[in-house]
Amino acid sequence: AGLAADVERGARAQEEGAAAGLEAAAHKMDQSVAIQETLSAEETCLATVQGILATEEGMESRLLSLIESHGKSMLCLYTHRRMAITAEDVCLDRVLLIQEGFAVEEVPPENNLQIPGSDVTVQVTSGGASLLVRLPFGSHTQTFLREVRRRCSPGKKDATAADPEQSAAGEVTGAPRLKTANKMVPSSSVPASGPTQGLSTRPCGLRDTLVKSLLKQKESSYTHLQNFRFFVGTYNVNGQSPRGSLRPWLSQDGEPPDIYCVGFQELDLSKEAFFFNDTPKEEEWFKAVTESLHPGAKYAKVKLVRLVGILLLLYVRTELAMNISEVEAETVGTGIMGRMGNKGGVAIRFQFHNSTVCVVNAHLAAHPEEYERRNQEVRDICARMQFHPLEPGCPLLAIKEHDVVLWLGDLNYRLEEQDMERVKKLIQTQDFQALHQHDQLKIQREAKLVFEGFQEGEISFQPTYKYNPGSDDWDDSAECRVPAWCDRILWSGKTVSLLSYQSHMALKNSDHKPVSAIFDVGVKVVDKKSYCKAFEGIVRSLDKMENASIPSVTLSKREFLFKDVKYLQLQVESFTISNGPVPCQFEFISKPNEDAYCKPWLIAKPSKGFLMPDSEVVIALELCVNKSTATALNSGEEKLEDILVLHLDRGKDYFLSVSGNYLPSCFGCPIQTLCYMKEPIREMLPEAIRELTLMPLLTDDAFWEEKPLDVPKELWMMVDLLCRSACHQEGLFQQPGLRPEFEQIRDWLDTGTLDVLGPVASNHSVAEALLLFLESLPEPVVCYKSYRSSLECANSYEMSSQVISMLPKCHQNVFYYLVAFLRELLKHTGKNHLDVNVLGKEIRMRDKATCFRTWSSPVLLGGRDRKNSVLYQYA
């Protein structure tokens, strides 16, 4: 109970901060919850976006909310504290009623330099009021503006920004504006098949898709390679602000680059940056980079993307800006719990002329022994980093689906078990080749365990880590880190040629040295006449192909059996679709009265696509049971059975049968059910599991003759093991566990063989399993029905105690048991470095269904008004 006050204070205060790490981008966060708390029951906040409002005093942040009240729509502007979490964090600034005369219009371009992909500036007009607001580029802004436009007065044609829908002439309209190093650069309408903008065409049906595919096949007939110079730089700045010019790093070459890709890591090490993804140092380093670009050319900023301390900047020479299109940015957090943004990657993808380029900036796990985790983080970034194409209906793009990939960052690979003095001696004699033989990244790449298909230039510079800040002297602190090449630049692509790869010792304000690479990249440039010739030839051939045949395909398999499916364990079954002589489009479609084409535990990849004549595609059916589906499968209410409908455009439907058996798991079981289970769940009859899972939540134990356990045995086993072996563990609940170990823990919990867990599973994996267990609870420890009353009683000890006493007995026991465990961890804070802020964030970040869901508010982490918290008094 004593810990609950502090932990729960952190849980609520960091709710949106955790979401920022999980979603990997602050601008995608929906802060509507805080706005809704200020409204009456008859008012609804439909959508909220954060923007920058131009005022007489300067540029100020505002929340723009679309609100419906008594049948009327209005746009409300709110001032706010950093990330709006509760009603206390926002204050109404002004209200604009959406009625006749209301409009949201893109600010007219200032010149002809136009690039899609950056922030959008719009002018909001209502009556006599006119506001200028800059909004972040992305799907969240697009959705917000689309909803505003829908509610404009009937008959009012509203020109709205950031809408990628295309005009009847086949042009992308409403592309966003771009801030440059020298000026504001508005984005353009992108021609559907212009010679410099690439071949993005409006997907109007089978014929257009076929034309696009055939054009892609004939690309070599109407394009030629032209070299452009790319500068790629990476710098871990160790939380420092820029001091002096960056030109020794960014402008050391005589010839100005055509494109700059500049990445930073550890931009800001403060807790505010981690929790709220907000830092003033972004602007500091952006300004420093902009002022240090090569003086021999003028540059426009194409895109900026940041995740906590990982920042990536993309610039292009202004005369080449018109050749940039389809700019998208994404982020992936791989840090705490494998999701948070203290580690991970950010990426920008774009089309340059007719070539696609993806630039990735990554900051991977530290410490010499964590090379396997670094490998896994690279795989996670590649798997989870997916870009949404501007054309609707097109599949997501992965990193490796680009012509050129440039990967930079503090990859943190070290030297394998090298003696400090021997390393320094090899550095002093500049025998970098001998030293490089012990480099972990080189070893892992040669073993094809990471960065397969990537290349790296020869390393002819001394290690870039670790120095005493402000000098070129090696680290002489108590840690005395062995020097290592942590900061690296790799690439993949057939048309990339490395010109230089070096470090820059002149910059001394960090414990790292910056690194740069200069490339000549062969880019596919379209020849207009050749393109028109190829296009006309394709159209003529299609006109002759008036084939009334119905598309037909052959499926290699139609029945799929998934055996012994376990919680959070992915199983994959594949089959091949072989097409006949007629091109066709295929798609899995939903059955009558169903919203999705498959059950929530199943997904088909790809779920739709296009097949050329006599071609084939492999479809993967992925089955994974998670917290949203486990409870019903445990109880037997749902079974692993489904029928998929594969539909061919202008053709017939094919039916695929999917079935399997699910092995019951304690993950996804209610607390009460587990307390009544004296045996491992795998040893119980399905009828008994179903009866215990479906029984109503009891306030006492009188309903059953058999006395239940005080807390679930599975919970006790994990907590007991952590109490015995992990109280001194540094980074507990912050460092993710290993997936194979989690799977072993899950099986041991479900089969009752936990007596052998200790020697096998690490403390981090057990902690991860504990959080996953709490996350999977269908009814949180503090029950849903007690949510509102617990918040209302937060400042009263007596009323708060009453809320706890009204919980079911098993939930009370678990609450007290977990609080006692966390308090025990805090007794050893000198060794494990845990505090209430860290514990509050990590216990809360998982989901609204975690154990402390309702004991959270902005004051519960020991910040403002700590002593007004009832749980502080209760402790």
Side-chain angles (χ1 to χ4, degrees):
L3 182 62
D6 292 317
V7 171
E8 292 312 315
R9 176 176 289 128
R12 178 69 183 275
Q14 307 309 332
E15 176 175 355
E16 296 296 340
L22 292 172
E23 293 301 323
H27 72 271
K28 292 185 179 177
M29 293 186 59
D30 185 1
Q31 302 178 75
S32 300
V33 176
I35 304 298
Q36 187 63 53
E37 289 185 7
T38 68
L39 305 178
S40 65
E42 295 79 17
E43 298 171 331
T44 304
C45 179
L46 301 173
T48 297
V49 66
Q50 184 173 337
I52 303 298
L53 174 67
T55 67
E56 294 180 356
E57 291 76 20
M59 307 299 286
E60 299 181 0
S61 180
R62 291 289 188 275
L63 294 181
L64 284 72
S65 295
L66 177 61
I67 294 174
E68 278 197 349
S69 175
H70 302 90
K72 295 183 179 181
S73 300
M74 61 193 74
L75 185 65
C76 298
L77 278 71
Y78 292 83
T79 59
H80 63 100
R81 300 171 181 166
R82 288 189 175 179
M83 186 59 60
I85 300 171
T86 68
E88 298 176 355
D89 298 326
V90 298
C91 181
L92 184 63
D93 181 33
R94 67 188 75 190
V95 177
L96 303 176
L97 192 62
I98 300 179
Q99 56 186 357
E100 189 68 30
F102 179 91
V104 180
E105 300 175 336
E106 181 181 1
V107 175
E110 297 177 3
N111 50 46
N112 293 324
L113 188 58
Q114 302 173 336
I115 303 175
S118 277
D119 296 345
V120 52
T121 301
V122 298
Q123 188 165 21
V124 182
T125 305
S126 178
S130 180
L131 306 176
L132 194 65
V133 186
R134 188 174 76 234
L135 302 176
F137 175 72
S139 58
H140 190 68
T141 295
Q142 294 171 13
T143 301
F144 176 82
L145 292 174
R146 190 176 298 116
E147 290 299 317
V148 172
R149 183 172 65 254
R150 283 177 53 200
R151 287 161 176 80
C152 288
S153 302
K156 170 68 177 176
K157 184 177 180 181
D158 179 26
T160 308
D163 186 356
E165 295 179 1
Q166 294 167 309
S167 67
E171 297 182 349
V172 179
T173 61
R177 292 167 55 84
L178 171 74
K179 184 175 181 181
T180 72
N182 312 100
K183 62 192 82 176
M184 291 297 295
V185 180
S187 61
S188 66
S189 299
V190 183
S193 56
T196 61
Q197 294 291 345
L199 301 176
S200 56
T201 59
R202 185 179 181 182
C204 299
L206 176 60
R207 183 181 177 90
D208 289 329
T209 305
L210 182 58
V211 169
K212 186 173 181 179
S213 297
L214 292 173
L215 278 171
K216 187 67 176 177
Q217 291 180 10
K218 294 178 177 290
E219 188 177 45
S220 60
S221 69
Y222 58 83
T223 63
H224 65 276
L225 288 180
Q226 180 177 334
N227 280 339
F228 291 89
R229 183 152 295 190
F230 281 59
F231 175 96
V232 181
T234 178
Y235 191 11
N236 183 319
V237 297
N238 193 32
Q240 303 300 309
S241 295
R243 294 198 296 268
S245 174
L246 301 179
R247 283 194 174 174
W249 171 37
L250 300 177
S251 305
Q252 88 285 359
D253 197 48
E255 182 179 343
D258 297 307
I259 289 181
Y260 271 99
C261 312
V262 184
F264 296 94
Q265 306 83 39
E266 294 190 359
L267 198 74
D268 192 334
L269 301 177
S270 67
K271 290 184 177 180
E272 289 78 11
F274 177 63
F275 286 154
F276 299 105
N277 200 25
D278 181 24
T279 171
K281 293 188 177 180
E282 174 183 309
E283 184 65 26
E284 294 176 7
W285 283 101
F286 165 61
K287 182 178 179 182
V289 170
T290 301
E291 293 174 348
S292 301
L293 299 179
H294 202 291
K298 292 184 178 181
Y299 294 90
K301 187 200 84 176
V302 178
K303 194 71 175 175
L304 177 153
V305 60
R306 181 177 60 82
L307 174 65
V308 187
I310 310 171
L311 174 69
L312 179 60
L313 287 160
L314 178 66
Y315 296 85
V316 63
R317 291 176 67 153
T318 54
E319 63 267 28
L320 299 175
M322 283 298 296
N323 302 309
I324 297 280
S325 63
E326 299 183 19
V327 182
E328 287 289 328
E330 289 294 340
T331 63
V332 168
T334 63
I336 298 172
M337 294 297 107
R339 291 281 173 177
M340 296 300 289
N342 58 314
K343 292 291 190 292
V346 300
I348 300 173
R349 65 91 51 197
F350 59 96
Q351 183 162 308
F352 186 37
H353 286 282
N354 220 48
S355 293
T356 57
V357 181
C358 182
V359 186
V360 184
N361 177 17
H363 189 193
L364 306 182
H367 306 303
E369 69 276 7
E370 296 292 348
Y371 61 90
E372 290 183 346
R373 191 174 304 281
R374 290 188 276 275
N375 294 350
Q376 181 61 50
E377 290 178 349
V378 172
R379 291 191 289 268
D380 287 345
I381 292 172
C382 289
R384 291 164 48 198
M385 187 81 75
Q386 294 184 317
F387 300 93
H388 297 265
L390 294 179
E391 297 177 357
C394 294
L396 299 176
L397 293 173
I399 291 175
K400 293 187 177 181
E401 294 179 281
H402 292 79
D403 298 322
V404 174
V405 179
L406 305 172
W407 195 303
L408 58 110
D410 179 2
L411 306 186
N412 252 323
Y413 286 92
R414 310 299 175 88
L415 297 176
E416 286 284 5
E417 300 180 2
Q418 292 298 298
D419 176 71
M420 171 70 84
E421 295 305 319
R422 180 176 180 274
V423 170
K424 288 184 177 179
K425 184 176 180 181
L426 289 173
I427 295 172
Q428 188 174 7
T429 60
Q430 296 190 355
D431 193 355
F432 301 131
Q433 186 174 2
L435 192 61
H436 192 221
Q437 300 305 311
H438 303 281
D439 176 66
Q440 289 180 341
L441 181 56
K442 174 182 171 63
I443 295 170
Q444 297 301 303
R445 286 183 58 229
E446 290 178 346
K448 298 187 182 302
L449 296 176
V450 71
F451 285 116
E452 191 169 0
F454 282 81
Q455 301 180 59
E456 185 182 18
E458 179 182 350
I459 294 182
S460 58
F461 51 88
Q462 69 183 48
T464 57
Y465 175 85
K466 179 181 183 181
Y467 296 87
N468 291 327
S471 72
D472 293 333
D473 301 328
W474 297 112
D475 176 33
D476 59 7
S477 66
E479 296 174 338
C480 197
R481 302 290 191 192
V482 176
W485 287 289
C486 291
D487 310 278
R488 312 290 274 270
I489 299 172
L490 300 93
W491 79 90
S492 70
K494 298 179 181 179
T495 62
V496 182
S497 175
L498 179 66
L499 301 180
S500 71
Y501 188 25
Q502 59 185 308
S503 66
H504 301 271
M505 301 294 292
L507 275 67
K508 307 177 188 294
N509 57 330
S510 172
D511 54 359
H512 290 248
K513 297 297 182 182
V515 172
S516 71
I518 297 178
F519 299 96
D520 266 347
V521 178
V523 174
K524 293 175 286 188
V525 178
V526 176
D527 178 77
K528 186 175 182 179
K529 290 184 178 180
S530 300
Y531 171 79
C532 292
K533 182 179 179 180
F535 180 81
E536 291 170 359
I538 291 172
V539 171
R540 281 196 301 268
S541 65
L542 289 178
D543 288 341
K544 296 177 182 178
M545 193 170 41
E546 294 294 337
N547 192 338
S549 299
I550 298 176
S552 64
V553 298
T554 301
L555 307 184
S556 64
K557 191 176 180 181
R558 297 198 189 188
E559 295 184 355
F560 304 89
L561 177 62
F562 293 86
K563 296 181 179 180
D564 297 336
V565 177
K566 299 178 181 179
Y567 183 79
L568 284 187
Q569 183 166 309
L570 178 69
Q571 287 198 25
V572 181
E573 291 283 340
S574 301
F575 70 98
T576 302
I577 304 177
S578 301
N579 192 26
V582 180
C584 73
Q585 286 180 305
F586 68 88
E587 181 178 6
F588 288 97
I589 61 174
S590 58
K591 299 178 283 294
N593 302 321
E594 294 188 8
D595 296 328
Y597 70 84
C598 65
K599 296 291 181 64
W601 36 262
L602 185 67
I603 189 171
K605 292 184 176 180
S607 62
K608 57 184 176 182
F610 172 77
L611 283 172
M612 294 290 287
D614 301 317
S615 63
E616 60 183 29
V617 64
V618 176
I619 306 295
L621 298 181
E622 298 184 354
L623 189 154
C624 184
V625 176
N626 56 27
K627 62 182 181 181
S628 65
T629 55
T631 303
L633 290 169
N634 278 333
S635 66
E637 295 176 280
E638 293 286 341
K639 296 185 179 299
L640 295 181
E641 295 177 354
D642 200 5
I643 299 292
L644 301 184
V645 182
L646 179 64
H647 172 72
L648 300 186
D649 186 27
R650 300 183 299 112
K652 66 177 184 178
D653 294 339
Y654 297 80
F655 298 90
L656 288 73
S657 172
V658 177
S659 61
N661 67 296
Y662 179 66
L663 300 179
S665 174
C666 61
F667 290 84
C669 279
I671 292 175
Q672 178 176 263
T673 300
L674 294 173
C675 286
Y676 278 98
M677 286 185 180
K678 303 297 181 63
E679 303 172 357
I681 191 170
R682 295 266 187 89
E683 297 181 8
M684 298 191 64
L685 296 174
E687 295 78 10
I689 298 175
R690 177 182 178 86
E691 183 181 6
L692 290 175
T693 303
L694 298 180
M695 71 178 181
L697 193 57
L698 308 175
T699 56
D700 57 53
D701 303 329
F703 184 79
W704 291 79
E705 295 181 0
E706 186 177 4
K707 177 176 172 55
L709 301 172
D710 290 332
V711 296
K713 59 186 179 303
E714 295 82 1
L715 175 64
W716 175 83
M717 290 173 176
M718 289 184 285
V719 171
D720 180 66
L721 180 60
L722 291 173
C723 280
R724 287 188 284 107
S725 63
C727 284
H728 296 170
Q729 179 72 58
E730 185 175 354
L732 195 66
F733 292 114
Q734 300 173 75
Q735 181 173 320
L738 297 176
R739 178 167 293 276
E741 291 186 356
F742 164 74
E743 292 175 352
Q744 288 181 311
I745 296 169
R746 176 204 58 213
D747 291 344
W748 284 320
L749 291 172
D750 293 339
T751 59
T753 57
L754 254 174
D755 55 310
V756 296
L757 174 59
V760 178
S762 68
N763 293 330
H764 297 298
S765 295
V766 179
E768 171 88 352
L770 175 60
L771 291 181
L772 287 171
F773 174 83
L774 296 172
E775 180 185 20
S776 71
L777 294 174
E779 182 77 29
V781 175
V782 180
C783 303
Y784 289 116
K785 66 179 182 180
S786 302
Y787 175 65
R788 180 60 58 185
S789 58
S790 65
L791 293 180
E792 294 172 350
C793 299
N795 293 317
S796 168
Y797 175 85
E798 292 77 11
M799 294 179 67
S800 181
S801 300
Q802 185 177 1
V803 171
I804 298 176
S805 68
M806 293 174 64
L807 294 176
K809 186 63 177 177
C810 57
H811 285 246
Q812 288 186 46
N813 293 341
V814 170
F815 179 84
Y816 291 130
Y817 185 59
L818 290 173
V819 167
F821 165 57
L822 297 177
R823 293 186 67 185
E824 182 66 25
L825 290 180
L826 288 180
K827 292 179 181 178
H828 305 277
T829 186
K831 294 185 177 181
N832 59 33
H833 302 300
L834 293 173
D835 58 32
V836 291
N837 295 283
V838 172
L839 287 176
K841 181 173 182 57
E842 302 319 320
I843 296 297
R844 178 62 184 86
M845 65 171 286
R846 283 290 181 159
D847 188 88
K848 287 188 176 181
T850 51
C851 62
F852 299 110
R853 179 184 189 278
T854 63
W855 295 95
S856 54
S857 75
V859 300
L860 290 185
L861 260 183
R864 59 184 187 276
D865 301 331
R866 168 174 177 154
K867 294 189 177 180
N868 292 331
S869 163
V870 60
L871 293 182
Y872 175 80
Q873 303 168 15
Y874 186 71

